[in-house]
Amino acid sequence: MPTRRRTLRLAIVAATLALVVPLSGCVSSFIPKAPAATSTPVNEKVAADLKPFYSQVLHWKSCQGGDFQCATATAPMDWNNPATASIHLALIRKTATGTRLGSLLVNPGGPGGSGYDFIKDSLSYAVDSKLQQSYDIVGFDPRGVNRSSAVKCYQDPADMDAFLFSIPPDPIGSDAWIAEQSASNQKFGQDCLKYTGPLLGFVDTVSAARDLDLLRAVLGDKKLNYLGYSYGTLLGATYAGLYPKKTGHLVLDGALDPATTSFDVSETQAKGFESALRAYIADCETGKNCPFSGSVDAAMTTIRSLLDSLDASPLRGADGRELGSAVMFNAIIFPLYDRSSWPYLSQLFTSVMQGKTEVAFELADSYYGRNADGTYKDNSTEAFIAINCLDYRSDDSIASLRADAAKLTKAAPVLGPQLAYDTSCANWPFPSTRDRVAIAADGSAPIVVVGTTNDPATPYVWAKNLAKELTNGHLVTYTGEGHTAYNKSNSCVNNAVDNFFIKGTVPSRDPRC
């Protein structure tokens, strides 16, 4: 996460921005049959020590005012030693309103995003009415996340505030600053271990992909139907690599390239966010109430100067928190995920240039899921860090950090410096467990990869790479702005995805939507 120079934030975070940020200014005639109260698991051969998990029966209960059904599944904590301990996985579903084709599992991204809340709060944003008619839409919280067996790293929310918002006194990039950051991250990791226990070592994406196969089976599906956004594309691709013969219809939207290193992610995202910021400025200057005038380059220089000034003299908010460049950076990138949220950027820059912090903290708090009373609505930040520290190997030596900082600044002079000096996983309690390599998923069914040409968080090059790396990958390009494209861009993308899920139609070539 970019604040305090934390990187790798790959989540859908702008979906409901207008609902969660209170900024100033600016009966169907067909009634389906009642679904079964239980799900009958698929009868398939598995190892004896996995049989109790794969043969479990899900008991669904009406929830969320009766509009949904909820259930809990049990999975091994350690898939290599299933008998040692178990964890629970929270599920929610909206049953098909028409002729049912099966279950469709949906992941919103992250890592750390709650699929349960995504479906509960944003069903029609997650999938359109055609998929709701044909599938039971199933949201789930992956291991480590929210309502499932979860990572926990603090008891007092003030400790989380201190971790996320405190500003070290020394100059950024100095030996003392790096030492303070590393010590803070090490303490955070130890607190996560203290409050989470051994689960902290088993929240990696490979383990989550094995959970995904378990969920497929206990939902009663012989093949997995899956829609993954953002980080959810890595989870889906990982599943395809592990279980290529069990892939049904997989759509990966806003793709992450599995072969990217930690630095590759930072550099490519820095370029992506910078490109999106330039697009915002160009659009802003064609309208009214834009805080910038003149060339895009001049505005970008102004923004870099503003970030530098916040490092030199942070602005104090009403609650005592200080607005430095790291928090300001998160406030900037949050609206960049969705073009419809760009007007918030104008309010942000105008207010901060006037020495005001309210809009910046409202955006940053929404980004982190921080409530107005200082509590946090979920554990997405803790889960994000814990999962990434197992998924990515990083070099935290001072020499490497400084060399990477120079490369990031060259690649993206305005926003690149904000992604430098990431020591999030310095002295993490558990070592990284994954090698960053391409996934071919030989023998899989066709897999559709959707990429947006100016996606700031998961840049288009990653979608192109993933579609090529997958033996049976098929690219669908959306030419436009924003993070992810299905059900939020145009009918060309929607038709390609819907026809694939419902009719099994595989794009013969990239439709270039």
Side-chain angles (χ1 to χ4, degrees):
M1 190 170 293
T3 285
R4 297 173 59 88
R5 299 306 192 269
R6 292 187 176 89
T7 60
L8 311 177
R9 181 65 170 180
L10 301 172
I12 294 177
V13 296
T16 55
L17 181 61
L19 299 179
V20 298
V21 184
L23 299 181
S24 59
C26 326
V27 176
S28 174
S29 60
F30 173 76
I31 302 177
K33 294 180 180 179
T38 59
S39 292
T40 303
V42 174
N43 184 15
E44 58 188 22
K45 186 177 180 179
V46 296
D49 56 0
L50 295 179
K51 193 66 176 177
F53 298 100
Y54 273 77
S55 62
Q56 66 185 293
V57 175
L58 295 181
H59 297 273
W60 296 94
K61 295 182 179 180
S62 178
C63 62
Q64 304 302 326
D67 292 334
F68 297 89
Q69 295 178 335
C70 297
T72 301
T74 301
M77 182 172 71
D78 179 358
W79 275 97
N80 293 322
N81 297 284
T84 56
S86 62
I87 62 172
H88 69 271
L89 303 172
L91 305 170
I92 188 170
R93 74 177 180 183
K94 186 71 168 64
T95 56
T97 59
T99 302
R100 181 182 180 275
L101 298 178
S103 297
L104 173 60
L105 286 106
V106 182
N107 181 278
S114 170
Y116 184 110
D117 286 352
F118 190 49
I119 297 305
K120 173 178 70 72
D121 298 333
S122 307
L123 174 65
S124 293
Y125 181 86
V127 296
D128 69 9
S129 59
K130 293 180 181 179
L131 293 190
Q132 292 179 44
Q133 184 176 18
S134 300
Y135 286 92
D136 293 345
I137 307 301
V138 182
F140 63 100
D141 283 352
R143 57 174 56 215
V145 176
N146 209 29
R147 291 176 174 83
S148 293
S149 295
V151 172
K152 181 176 175 59
C153 301
Y154 66 90
Q155 285 186 314
D156 185 347
D159 292 336
M160 195 65 177
D161 272 2
F163 177 67
L164 293 175
F165 296 101
S166 63
I167 300 177
D170 298 289
I172 294 173
S174 66
D175 288 357
W177 186 91
I178 294 172
E180 195 277 344
Q181 289 286 85
S182 297
S184 173
N185 287 318
Q186 183 176 16
K187 181 182 182 303
F188 183 78
Q190 290 301 317
D191 286 343
C192 293
L193 179 60
K194 176 181 177 180
Y195 295 120
T196 305
L199 172 63
L200 190 66
F202 297 100
V203 294
D204 57 287
T205 296
V206 171
S207 294
R210 299 193 69 176
D211 294 342
L212 200 54
D213 189 62
L214 172 65
L215 295 179
R216 169 201 61 78
V218 299
L219 286 167
D221 294 321
K222 294 182 179 180
K223 305 279 188 175
L224 176 70
N225 299 307
Y226 175 83
L227 172 60
Y229 292 105
S230 199
Y231 159 81
T233 66
L234 177 62
L235 179 59
T238 301
Y239 178 89
L242 292 173
Y243 307 101
K245 299 296 185 181
K246 295 182 181 180
T247 53
H249 300 93
L250 272 64
V251 172
L252 310 179
D253 185 2
L256 175 63
D257 181 357
T260 54
T261 66
S262 177
F263 177 77
D264 290 337
V265 171
S266 296
E267 183 179 42
T268 310
Q269 277 197 313
K271 293 177 180 178
F273 282 119
E274 193 135 321
S275 176
L277 183 60
R278 295 181 69 90
Y280 150 73
I281 294 168
D283 179 76
C284 173
E285 291 185 340
T286 65
K288 298 179 180 179
N289 302 318
C290 182
F292 306 105
S293 61
S295 69
V296 171
D297 286 341
M300 293 291 282
T301 299
T302 298
I303 293 171
R304 184 63 253 175
S305 296
L306 178 63
L307 292 167
D308 290 339
S309 70
L310 290 173
D311 280 329
S313 301
L315 298 174
R316 187 171 296 277
D319 62 1
R321 289 182 294 165
E322 289 187 312
L323 177 64
S325 69
V327 174
M328 181 63 178
F329 173 70
N330 277 342
I332 291 171
I333 68 168
F334 189 25
L336 287 176
Y337 279 80
D338 185 346
R339 181 172 184 151
S340 66
S341 300
W342 284 1
Y344 292 117
L345 284 167
S346 296
Q347 294 188 45
L348 170 67
F349 288 121
T350 298
S351 64
V352 174
M353 288 174 183
Q354 295 172 350
K356 300 175 182 178
T357 65
E358 291 82 4
V359 174
F361 278 119
E362 285 172 352
L363 287 166
D365 287 349
S366 294
Y367 182 82
Y368 282 119
R370 184 182 186 273
N371 299 314
D373 63 359
T375 60
Y376 289 80
K377 69 177 183 179
D378 56 33
N379 78 326
S380 58
T381 299
E382 299 116 286
F384 169 82
I385 295 171
I387 295 168
N388 274 326
C389 285
L390 295 181
D391 276 358
Y392 287 89
R393 302 182 192 279
S394 59
D395 183 352
D396 299 318
S397 68
I398 291 179
S400 294
L401 289 171
R402 288 186 175 139
D404 288 348
K407 293 176 185 176
L408 288 168
T409 299
K410 182 177 180 181
V414 176
L415 299 182
Q418 303 306 131
L419 291 168
Y421 297 107
D422 176 33
T423 61
S424 296
C425 301
N427 302 306
W428 191 252
F430 297 95
S432 172
T433 58
R434 180 172 185 153
D435 292 323
R436 307 300 300 183
V437 295
I439 294 174
D442 290 332
S444 76
I447 299 173
V448 171
V449 180
V450 182
T452 299
T453 54
N454 205 27
D455 185 327
T458 51
Y460 179 59
V461 64
W462 290 346
K464 292 196 295 183
N465 290 348
L466 179 59
K468 290 179 181 178
E469 291 161 3
L470 291 166
T471 301
N472 209 353
H474 300 267
L475 181 64
V476 171
T477 298
Y478 168 57
T479 303
E481 304 286 340
H483 183 41
T484 76
Y486 170 65
N487 205 28
K488 50 197 75 74
S489 57
N490 61 28
S491 61
C492 174
V493 174
N494 287 3
N495 290 338
V497 172
D498 288 342
N499 289 337
F500 177 65
F501 273 124
I502 297 170
K503 301 177 182 179
T505 304
V506 181
S508 58
R509 56 185 175 83
D510 183 355
R512 300 292 302 184
C513 298

